[in-house]
Amino acid sequence: MATLATKKPNRLPGILEHASGDKRFKILEAHMKKHQFNQNALIEVLHKAQELFGYLEDDLLLFIAYKLKLPASRVYGVATFYHFFTLKPKGRHTCVVCMGTACYVKGADKLLAAVEKKAGIKAGETTPDSELSLLTARCIGACGIAPAVVYDGTVTPRQSPESLLTHVKGWLDHDH
Ligand code: FES
């Protein structure tokens, strides 16, 4: 795996641009602001990031490092040190089912059950062919469009078991 430090120089502008259009980054930034961008709040911030995104990927870690004015290596080091943090899973595709309250009351558990059954894996796992990683998040900041699912980074509103299965079907039936 390339280190974050080597990727940092040219990726940051793109990450910040992407972040400006993704509400989850705004919520995360508000959370950092609440902690006055205090570097000692790093673990707390990483927890919040994982709640919002389901896992911590490089871009997210770089964003946090930039905002907290910490070296990317430090943020990456902390994220990899603690077992309760999940780094980007190895599946080619990711499906994050929001299990926060608003989504849950609108049937997120049924969404999760449907995709677990179809893919034959549990939340937190990746299919043996590495096509799909399935994750959950606690609230992705899209309660108004619950239940929401994030397919490969795209927040998608008002999902049903049927729409979810339609979405992941192509990923699971890869050899057709
Ligand atoms: S609970 Fe799912 S977006 Fe808030």
Side-chain angles (χ1 to χ4, degrees), residues 37-52:
F37 296 94
N38 190 327
Q39 297 177 341
N40 293 329
L42 175 59
I43 290 181
E44 166 68 25
V45 169
L46 288 171
H47 270 299
K48 185 68 183 175
Q50 183 157 303
E51 272 178 36
L52 282 165

Side-chain angles (χ1 to χ4, degrees), residues 18-37:
H18 170 72
S20 68
D22 188 329
K23 200 175 165 201
R24 293 174 295 172
F25 283 95
K26 286 197 183 70
I27 295 171
L28 183 61
E29 188 166 358
H31 191 75
M32 288 190 265
K33 197 172 174 187
K34 200 175 93 191
H35 288 279
Q36 281 128 19
F37 296 94

Side-chain angles (χ1 to χ4, degrees), residues 97 99 104-116 160-161 164:
V97 179
M99 297 294 281
Y104 194 86
V105 298
K106 294 214 166 172
D109 56 332
K110 293 183 187 63
L111 299 179
L112 185 62
V115 67
E116 282 182 340
S160 64
L164 187 154

